[in-house]
Amino acid sequence: MAQATGCWQNLCTEAVPPRDRLAYWHEATNRLFPPTRLSRPNHEGFYGNVSWLEIGDLTLANIVSTSLDVTRSEREITRDDDRWYEINVQIEGTSAF
């Protein structure tokens, strides 16, 4: 997946067959952001869309998706050598950290 610097990029699951959307989303977002694990009771009805802009070392992203659990263990965090800080602004729905 190419990531151009200085212009907004977009990734959406709409063009992917419904049964493949969650796997596609997981693979694609793990390329954009530090790796995570995703879980959901089933893949039916999943939708995901992310738009992002890279400005130097800063990445701005707008993520919209149906509900799912996203986890990243302490071991996974310490294994990565990069410095990644994340600020989340929840617009609607619920989240827990």
Side-chain angles (χ1 to χ4, degrees), residues 2-19:
Q3 295 182 26
T5 300
C7 63
W8 283 96
Q9 301 290 303
N10 188 68
L11 180 135
C12 186
T13 60
E14 283 184 335
V16 178
R19 69 182 177 283

Side-chain angles (χ1 to χ4, degrees), residues 6-71:
C7 63
W8 283 96
Q9 301 290 303
N10 188 68
L11 180 135
C12 186
T13 60
E14 283 184 335
V16 178
R19 69 182 177 283
D20 299 331
R21 288 180 180 176
L22 187 59
Y24 171 80
W25 181 254
H26 186 226
E27 181 180 324
T29 55
N30 278 351
R31 289 183 186 170
L32 289 170
F33 309 113
T36 59
R37 286 179 276 138
L38 304 180
S39 62
R40 183 176 160 81
N42 60 52
H43 63 269
E44 293 178 21
F46 180 76
Y47 169 83
N49 185 75
V50 59
S51 298
W52 73 97
L53 172 66
E54 293 182 332
I55 306 168
D57 290 337
L58 176 69
T59 301
L60 301 174
N62 180 36
I63 303 169
V64 176
S65 76
T66 51
S67 64
L68 70 158
D69 292 328
V70 180
T71 58

Side-chain angles (χ1 to χ4, degrees), residues 75-88:
R75 182 177 179 181
E76 291 166 322
I77 292 168
T78 57
R79 180 177 32 191
D80 289 337
D81 193 26
D82 64 342
R83 291 179 288 168
W84 181 270
Y85 301 96
E86 190 169 313
I87 299 171
N88 292 295

